[in-house]
């Protein structure tokens, strides 16, 4: 496959439309099935776990968290902070608790982050909101023994941006021990040329300053304490797979502890949906990372 810069708009839109690459279902059907799966999984999680819903971390309507507490929250506990996907314009924290049951039973709290999706929110704002949510979490909950970021698709992009952030203005630096980045976009420039940007209305400058690929070098000091897992699906598009591989390589060259997990038999959607299953390989990898670090 040639460079993305040499592709027509039609070819780029094909590459950056994850639903077109699933062998399971028609594009519209796979998106509907994904929404159904994460919604049902979140309902099950809220019925089965102790929760604090709609906790505000800022003044905006979108700046709220859903917190799923571990079975025994009396001592300290690690927290998995989940940042949802939806191409920065769909989904919400309200359908992002599906991974909680498998984790809270093992003593891990799960926090689903809400942020202002487009068109209400822009890229700079979304990145800042995720940072603010983390600062709020560690300031409010002294029981947290370590933070593990987990983002899917657009959420993986937002989680990756956290790795290069300057925390000075917050007076607190979260103890980010791990990041699980699933089927993400790490260079936003191709997005400028496709339908996704019709809603985002992102400038070239905004794409540059919010591309994790271009922020890697500034992230080195945090690398010592943080383990990064970049996960990609067998049935992600070649461009999504390329972005994951190149971002993983860039992190490694900059001195991060990073590994690439190429998951067979899944597409852009069920790679994350299956976190509701205790036995799913990515669920086990996350629990192993937390127990190890």
């Amino acid at each position: 496959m040639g460079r993305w810069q040499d592709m027509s708009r039609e070819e780029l839109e094909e590459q950056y439309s994850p639903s077109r690459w699933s062998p399971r279902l028609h594009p519209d059907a796979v998106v509907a099935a994904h929404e159904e799966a994460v919604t049902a999984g979140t309902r099950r999680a809220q019925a089965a776990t102790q929760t604090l819903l709609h906790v505000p971390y800022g003044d905006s309507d979108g700046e709220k968290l859903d917190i799923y507490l571990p079975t025994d929250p009396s001592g300290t506990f690690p927290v998995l902070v989940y940042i949802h996907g939806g191409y920065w314009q769909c989904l919400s924290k309200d359908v992002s608790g599906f991974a909680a049951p498998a984790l809270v039973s093992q003593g891990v709290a799960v926090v689903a982050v809400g942020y202002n999706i487009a068109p209400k929110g822009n890229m700079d704002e979304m990145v800042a909101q995720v940072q603010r949510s983390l600062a709020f979490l560690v300031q409010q909950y002294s029981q947290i023994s370590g933070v593990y970021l987990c983002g899917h698709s657009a959420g993986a992009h937002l989680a990756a941006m956290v790795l290069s952030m300057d925390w000075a203005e917050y007076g607190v630096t979260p103890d980010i021990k791990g990041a699980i980045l699933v089927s993400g976009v790490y260079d936003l420039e191709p997005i400028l040329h496709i339908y996704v940007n019709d809603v985002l209305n992102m400038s070239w400058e905004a794409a540059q300053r919010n591309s994790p690929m271009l922020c890697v070098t500034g992230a080195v000091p945090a690398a010592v304490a943080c383990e990064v897992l970049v996960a990609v699906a067998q049935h992600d598009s070649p461009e999504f797979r390329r972005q994951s591989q190149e971002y993983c390589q860039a992190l490694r060259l900059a001195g991060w502890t990073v590994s690439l997990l190429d998951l067979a038999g899944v597409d852009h959607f069920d790679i994350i949906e299956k976190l509701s299953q205790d036995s799913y390989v990515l669920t086990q990898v996350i629990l192993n990372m937390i127990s190890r670090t």
Side-chain angles (χ1 to χ4, degrees):
M1 197 182 72
R3 301 182 321 143
W4 72 261
Q5 292 92 333
D6 299 327
M7 294 180 196
S8 66
R9 177 172 172 130
E10 187 177 23
E11 289 170 323
L12 266 182
E13 296 205 337
E14 174 86 8
Q15 287 290 325
Y16 284 92
S17 298
S19 60
R20 298 188 195 181
W21 296 85
S22 172
R24 292 184 295 142
L25 294 163
H26 179 274
D28 290 341
V30 79
V31 171
H34 178 61
E35 291 180 3
E36 193 176 309
V38 295
T39 301
T42 300
R43 285 201 191 111
R44 286 194 299 272
Q46 291 180 357
T49 61
Q50 187 182 342
T51 58
L52 301 167
L53 303 180
H54 317 304
V55 177
Y57 66 85
D59 299 329
S60 168
D61 287 347
E63 296 181 357
K64 292 184 172 65
L65 306 172
D66 285 349
I67 301 172
Y68 298 78
L69 292 166
T71 309
D72 178 15
S74 57
T76 60
F77 48 81
V79 60
L80 183 95
V81 176
Y82 181 76
I83 306 164
H84 70 81
Y87 252 155
W88 306 279
Q89 58 194 283
C90 305
L91 302 179
S92 72
K93 70 165 183 61
D94 301 336
V95 295
S96 298
F98 53 91
L103 296 170
V104 298
S105 63
Q106 301 300 313
V108 182
V110 174
V111 174
V113 177
Y115 54 93
N116 287 340
I117 56 175
K120 183 174 182 179
N122 61 45
M123 191 61 70
D124 290 317
E125 183 181 3
M126 289 182 246
V127 168
Q129 285 175 325
V130 170
Q131 183 176 24
R132 195 153 60 246
S133 73
L134 285 168
F136 169 84
L137 260 182
V138 297
Q139 285 166 333
Q140 288 293 117
Y141 299 98
S142 58
Q143 310 100 302
I144 293 173
S145 60
V147 175
Y148 296 82
L149 301 171
C150 180
H152 173 238
S153 196
H157 158 265
L158 294 170
M161 284 301 295
V162 170
L163 299 181
S164 62
M165 285 174 172
D166 178 4
W167 294 93
E169 69 174 283
Y170 293 96
V172 60
T173 302
D175 183 15
I176 300 172
K177 293 185 173 178
I180 302 96
L181 310 174
V182 185
S183 294
V185 178
Y186 308 105
D187 173 8
L188 296 183
E189 193 172 349
I191 302 298
L192 296 174
H193 306 282
I194 62 170
Y195 65 94
V196 178
N197 204 41
D198 296 348
V199 180
L200 286 175
N201 199 24
M202 181 170 52
S203 68
W204 182 85
E205 291 79 10
Q208 293 288 296
R209 65 176 168 265
N210 291 301
S211 285
M213 271 293 288
L214 303 180
C215 302
V216 168
T217 49
V220 177
V224 180
C226 181
E227 183 179 330
V228 182
L229 176 74
V230 179
V232 66
Q234 177 185 352
H235 301 296
D236 267 318
S237 75
E239 268 294 285
F240 268 84
R241 291 174 57 80
R242 176 192 67 79
Q243 287 229 11
S244 290
Q245 290 157 0
E246 291 187 3
Y247 183 57
C248 186
Q249 186 178 16
L251 286 172
R252 188 173 289 123
L253 288 172
W256 289 80
T257 302
V258 58
S259 52
L260 180 71
L261 180 62
D262 194 337
L263 282 164
V266 288
D267 59 36
H268 187 83
F269 303 96
D270 60 351
I271 188 175
I272 200 74
E273 294 164 9
K274 289 173 180 278
L275 282 183
S276 61
Q277 302 171 11
D278 296 358
S279 59
Y280 177 45
V281 61
L282 191 54
T283 309
Q284 291 301 313
V285 166
I286 290 170
L287 285 169
N288 287 339
M289 178 193 284
I290 293 172
S291 66
R292 199 169 58 244
T293 55

